[in-house]
Amino acid sequence: MFMRSWNNVHKPRLQSILEKIDDWGADYIVPVGRKSAKLFRTLGEMDPISVQRVFYKEYFKFCNVPLLNKKVAVVDDAARTCSTLADYRQYFEEQKAIVRTFAIVGHREMTQSGPVCYDPLAEIEEYVTEPGYDDFLLSEAEYLNKVGFYHDINHLMLELSIPQLPSGLEITLKDLMNNHGYVYSVQPYDGLFEKWSVIDPDFAESKLLKTSSGIVKLRFQGYRGTITCVPMIFPELRISDECQISRLKTPFELPCQMIRKNEKHSMDELCYWSISLLLSAELGRMFVKFLKEHYGSSPALILNLQKINVRNIDFDRYFGISKGDRLQRGIKQFLLREDYEADEDLARYLSSVMIPRQLDFLSGEFSGESITKLVDHLRNGYEKAVKEAGTHRGVYYSLPLNKMKEVCGASTLFLMESLDFLCDLGTFVPITNVNHDLIQRTYRTGEVKEDTSFKRTQILIPLAINVIAEENDITDRKVGSVLLTKILANFAYDFPSSPALLDRLHRFVRVPDTYGTNTLVFHPFRTAHLIPLSKPESLGNLYTREIEEPVKGDPQRRFRRVWYRAKPDALKEIDKYFDNTQQIQLDEIVTYISFLAKLYQKTGSVNVLTALSVCRTPDVLYRHIYENVNRWVASFSEFLETFVMPNKEHHRKGSLRRSGANARAGLTKIDLWNSFNQIVKDMNDKMTETRFRTSLRKVSTNIDDRKELPILDQLNRVLSIQRALTGIALAKLFPAKRRSPEDVFRWANVEFQRYHFDFDIRAFENETDQAKISEILQSAHFTVWYMVDNILPKPKGENELERNRVTYLELAQNRAVQCCVMSGWNMPSFVHWDLTGSRKSTDVLRRIASMYEETDKGKSQFGGKCITVNPGGNDCLLFVYGMPIVALKAAAFSMQKLTESGNLVKGGIAYANYQPGEDYSGLMAAMGHAKDLCELKKEGYRNLSDLLVSTPFVEAVEKDGIGRKYFTPLQITDLETRVGNANTKVQIFRLELARFVKDNMLIS
């Protein structure tokens, strides 16, 4: 990544602050919140004297530490108005301390007249603009997430380190936990550390945990075999007049007991933390017990569990070193106890003060847009509270989990998934909220804006349009869509974004297209799917799209053209998002775009831009050609599905011609690859202006010198055969004047012989029967498809969406398991949907949206659950229903609606027999079987628009009165799948959709 890291930019500033504090001789160093304290860890090992001086503000409050004439240094990471620093200063000065306040960065507005600075004495290492401030917050979040530090604040966090699990395990801990609770991965999925969580594990059963309410989960972090586990239980407590904890028998001494002794006191934040810590430790103990029971045969594990470590640094900072060490030792001993039985009085008291659990895990949706609604609500609520109070100081707006669900409509499961990451990012901040009735964990918004990169993307598009127009002296300021797309595709390559949401610069996604690289925009919370540049209304509405239709007889206007023009006020807020104080400076971005625009002008063609976007590395080239090869398979298949003679296919947009375009485009990319060294040399020779040196160096640095692509000959062979097959089909159906069918057949025959493809060209040329022509082409198509499917490996993903498909599937599967378990379904039935036919970017998003809409209607009417979150506009959906007959009716209803709207989809349905407490693998197998049916390709048959089921499903619905007359067996060999605990072969059937819908009156 080309952004300068935290290490080079901000860490020296933090080091400078600590040096000033050391020179001053501070008695205490007080970080503002846990995040600032975590930043100390980025400096490496602090000297022991400094470590012993670091305490949280709560330490002085809870432990009544005398502060008369003591020097207290308060350290914050970022200060927009210094309101928090002012609160800290006021607290410590009221305790008669001598106070200095520091921040690594401060907002530059505080140095100007007008904006408020609540702590004028604060010492700011660096004042930054709004773009620089956002950059700081995001780079800080990126750094802390990459090194594995959690951002959770304002509670006692119990962090356990398990040195090493046994090697050579048959099943990983994460996979094992899939059978014992709701497991989900935490973004970023492709970071240095693997992060994941499990909600409500079934081994969390004990007398003490029966009293628990609120959030019950374990967070995990894996790195090189070592597992860090954070058990978390955040209950909701009724406030009682008197806290009883200090007088009850607990398994280890709690903070409330250490500090309050037997003094009478009302329930407060310390009491809440103590109860939460007790329950979390019990959850940790049950987890350790679970590990022993499952891996008990491993002496190495038993030995390592004896070495389990409880991180004590936060205990020390909240309660002092002596009490912190005592608390750590007590928890560590408790974690290894297998015979603990909670005291009856303790259990009874906890039950009396805890609010019964009210979370409904199944209601709500798995929709990223619901999180957008929640973020906006919390931000607007805060701004309203500030306006009403007339100050930022001491003003918060927060919501508990149940209220958050009401606001956004998300399911509890999806909300929990999102909260883990958004808290790590700093967009949400968990706090302990104490009011007159309740103490509970609530969430407010933090300073990190999760949509900064999306807003920047909206600005970058009109900025690029204006720069291109200016560089090429375009007086009407119109820029062609192809040119803009190619330039932004290269920009996204040379200025890559980081893993999910941690990126700071943009949300462009590069997607292989027929003629090169298409540039789309995606944000997991702000967009439902990938957005093309042709949708300015979905991208801030800062530019316009103009279409110039072709004019007959005008050689200059033979083709349809699309132009983009920035609106006059498009860049009026650019200073909020870009300037020259950022790590990637605005001038660098403008110069880079100018460089590519001038390169286009000097070469007079977009070919060089296409080459740069496609040919930088062997992997990038392969991704693009692989797309052409598979688009040919899909387009030619679509053509065969509707094959008739005579054919009236559209002269340019028809599926047969699209197949030919993809084969030719793939071969053109191979030619670009073979001539790429010369293209780069020409670029270096032409672009000699001094102002372009940095941009030229950036492009050149990102070119891989390795030119080896061993599979290139196979790609050339497949594409040449594909082009020849399209050519003979066109010659047969649409004889062209400029080239006779005979010439085409002779040329194709040479290609088939050159690439050893068995095809009787003479028989095809002389055949006149439509059915036989179709049969010949079907057979050839299947042979080519088989070559593609079995010879060409799947390419590596370039962007986060592609790399993490497996994780997205895992999340969907785990949601399905949880839905089935919680609903008590014993015959859960899964419907897998997928688009079929062409994947043209100009049409595919509309079709995806239609698929979402119509399948959602079926889900709503028949009581199912959608368990996919449409990552990046993914054109696959997975639904779960309670019974096979319900799934069948819902699927038929949706497919009929989609068919009527002209949207080709395919589907598969499968079910599982399941009893609560059994292994969940049967559910996984059913989900996989539904997907296999949906995507079935076998012996010349390829599912394009059918709803497929197999024998077990037909037999299941037959018991509910759905006869076999509605199912037609496919003329293919049986498909192997898992039924129960064994693999077996099952017959495949196609649903007779129209008849079934009519007879069952699904649509009036």
Side-chain angles (χ1 to χ4, degrees), residues 74-299:
V74 180
V75 182
D76 202 355
D77 58 336
R80 183 176 287 274
T81 64
C82 287
S83 61
T84 305
L85 287 176
D87 289 339
Y88 273 65
R89 176 182 291 278
Q90 178 180 336
Y91 173 81
F92 286 110
E93 286 183 344
E94 287 176 352
Q95 307 300 313
K96 309 302 181 183
I98 303 166
V99 182
R100 288 176 69 178
T101 53
F102 302 87
I104 301 172
V105 298
H107 202 290
R108 187 174 289 176
E109 283 185 351
M110 291 192 294
T111 65
Q112 303 165 359
S113 60
V116 175
C117 175
Y118 292 103
D119 184 8
L121 298 177
E123 300 172 49
I124 310 296
E125 283 297 300
E126 180 81 12
Y127 284 98
V128 294
T129 60
E130 180 71 15
Y133 195 81
D134 286 339
D135 255 21
F136 171 84
L137 294 171
L138 287 163
S139 64
E140 176 186 43
E142 177 179 16
Y143 186 85
L144 289 175
N145 272 278
K146 282 189 174 179
V147 296
F149 300 145
Y150 293 103
H151 277 194
D152 268 347
I153 63 174
N154 202 233
H155 71 274
L156 285 174
M157 186 172 72
L158 177 59
E159 184 177 312
L160 318 178
S161 294
I162 303 170
Q164 190 81 38
L165 289 177
S167 59
L169 297 177
E170 293 183 6
I171 182 170
T172 66
L173 178 61
K174 184 178 178 183
D175 290 338
L176 174 64
M177 296 296 279
N178 267 324
N179 294 331
H180 296 277
Y182 178 60
V183 175
Y184 56 91
S185 296
V186 179
Q187 298 184 57
Y189 302 134
D190 48 3
L192 180 64
F193 292 81
E194 182 188 21
K195 296 182 179 182
W196 50 284
S197 298
V198 56
I199 297 176
D200 282 359
D202 59 11
F203 54 76
E205 294 184 354
S206 70
K207 185 187 295 185
L208 207 56
L209 293 181
K210 285 180 182 177
T211 67
S212 63
S213 64
I215 299 168
V216 179
K217 70 177 177 183
L218 295 110
R219 286 198 65 173
F220 292 91
Q221 178 176 290
Y223 181 64
R224 294 182 178 177
T226 299
I227 299 289
T228 299
C229 172
V230 182
M232 296 179 173
I233 295 185
F234 301 112
E236 293 183 73
L237 302 184
R238 300 183 184 92
I239 293 182
S240 59
D241 293 336
E242 183 179 344
C243 175
Q244 302 291 328
I245 286 292
S246 59
R247 292 199 293 273
L248 291 170
K249 184 180 179 181
T250 55
F252 56 90
E253 191 176 13
L254 299 176
C256 181
Q257 296 167 323
M258 291 180 182
I259 294 170
R260 302 286 171 64
K261 306 300 181 181
N262 288 322
E263 299 172 3
K264 287 186 178 182
H265 62 278
S266 299
M267 188 175 287
D268 60 9
E269 190 173 36
L270 181 60
C271 307
Y272 180 88
W273 287 2
S274 297
I275 293 173
S276 174
L277 182 62
L278 170 62
L279 296 173
S280 298
E282 173 68 344
L283 178 59
R285 187 182 74 86
M286 299 306 293
F287 171 64
V288 172
K289 185 178 178 181
F290 168 79
L291 287 179
K292 289 180 179 179
E293 290 174 350
H294 189 78
Y295 299 118
S297 59
S298 168

Side-chain angles (χ1 to χ4, degrees), residues 639 642-648 729 731-734 764 767-774 777:
F639 155 69
T642 56
F643 178 78
V644 291
M645 293 181 64
N647 199 296
K648 297 182 179 180
K732 193 76 169 178
L733 298 175
F734 311 103
F764 178 78
E767 187 58 67
T768 57
D769 181 72
Q770 173 180 315
K772 291 184 178 179
I773 291 173
S774 176
L777 291 176

Side-chain angles (χ1 to χ4, degrees), residues 525-542:
F525 297 146
R526 296 285 163 178
T527 64
H529 45 66
L530 288 162
I531 301 177
L533 300 180
S534 59
K535 300 289 184 182
E537 67 278 4
S538 300
L539 295 170
N541 213 20
L542 300 178

Side-chain angles (χ1 to χ4, degrees), residues 830-955:
F830 300 93
V831 182
H832 188 99
W833 294 107
D834 194 359
L835 285 184
T836 191
S838 171
R839 292 296 196 279
K840 290 192 302 173
S841 62
T842 54
D843 185 49
V844 71
L845 298 179
R846 176 194 64 78
R847 298 176 60 215
I848 289 174
S850 175
M851 182 172 70
Y852 287 162
E853 180 181 353
E854 297 301 342
T855 53
D856 188 64
K857 289 177 183 176
K859 174 210 70 174
S860 300
Q861 183 163 329
F862 293 92
K865 192 77 177 172
C866 179
I867 49 180
T868 44
V869 193
N870 49 292
N874 187 16
D875 52 2
C876 300
L877 289 172
L878 180 63
F879 290 82
V880 59
Y881 297 87
M883 296 178 63
I885 190 171
V886 177
L888 180 63
K889 289 182 176 181
F893 171 87
S894 298
M895 192 159 210
Q896 181 65 22
K897 286 287 188 180
L898 287 162
T899 302
E900 290 173 357
S901 66
N903 196 6
L904 281 178
V905 297
K906 54 191 177 184
I909 317 177
Y911 85 99
N913 283 306
Y914 172 75
Q915 294 297 325
E918 289 183 354
D919 179 58
Y920 299 162
S921 57
L923 299 181
M924 303 295 188
M927 284 182 268
H929 188 43
K931 182 176 185 290
D932 291 343
L933 290 169
C934 178
E935 301 176 350
L936 186 64
K937 291 179 282 190
K938 192 176 175 67
E939 299 162 20
Y941 172 82
R942 187 178 188 200
N943 190 8
L944 291 173
S945 56
D946 289 333
L947 194 55
L948 300 183
V949 297
S950 61
T951 305
F953 188 88
V954 172
E955 293 172 348

